[in-house]
Amino acid sequence: QVQVVESGGGLVQAGGSLRLSCAASGSISSINNVAWYRQPPGKQRELVATITGGGTTNYADSVKGRFAISRDNAKNTVFLQMNSLKPEDTGVYYCNAHVQEPRNSLVFSYWGQGTQVTVSS
């Protein structure tokens, strides 16, 4: 069984920064692609940033130049550094990790419970 837990959300003023963490634990052989999504109030979930197992990153246009996704493979953790935050960045941020399990080498998709980010103007 694998657990994915996000942390690091909170309330911050516009222009501020937050660093989110996504930690995976349990029966893990390796973690492949990981993505951060967010769901603004009253809107659909949207993709924010992705990182491959090899470290290639991709970002939504709305966060390019402000957000940075990175990973620490030794700790099975992925980070999302968010700078120059804007009120429109407010939402629940979710981590989606594709985990290869050691027992069968299959890859499964796991979601965390989300962490709230609120940016005040």
Side-chain angles (χ1 to χ4, degrees), residues 1-110:
Q1 189 68 298
V2 173
Q3 296 79 40
V4 173
V5 178
E6 302 97 335
S7 61
L11 173 63
V12 64
Q13 288 188 336
S17 299
L18 285 174
R19 189 191 195 205
L20 305 184
S21 298
C22 168
S25 61
S27 182
I28 297 171
S29 174
S30 65
I31 300 176
N32 298 345
N33 296 355
V34 178
W36 282 99
Y37 290 79
R38 67 186 180 191
Q39 187 163 15
K43 297 184 179 180
Q44 291 188 335
R45 194 173 296 189
E46 60 187 20
L47 180 63
V48 175
T50 62
I51 186 167
T52 68
T56 300
T57 60
N58 202 4
Y59 300 92
D61 287 343
S62 60
V63 305
K64 280 181 181 176
R66 300 188 298 120
F67 289 13
I69 188 171
S70 61
R71 62 192 297 158
D72 183 338
N73 291 332
K75 296 182 179 180
N76 289 334
T77 301
V78 170
F79 304 98
L80 185 67
Q81 178 67 44
M82 305 187 297
N83 300 323
S84 301
L85 283 162
K86 304 174 181 180
E88 51 263 44
D89 294 318
T90 294
V92 180
Y93 283 68
Y94 297 92
C95 176
N96 175 226
H98 291 83
V99 178
Q100 185 176 42
E101 298 188 352
R103 56 178 177 168
N104 52 27
S105 297
L106 294 177
V107 177
F108 295 91
S109 175
Y110 292 93

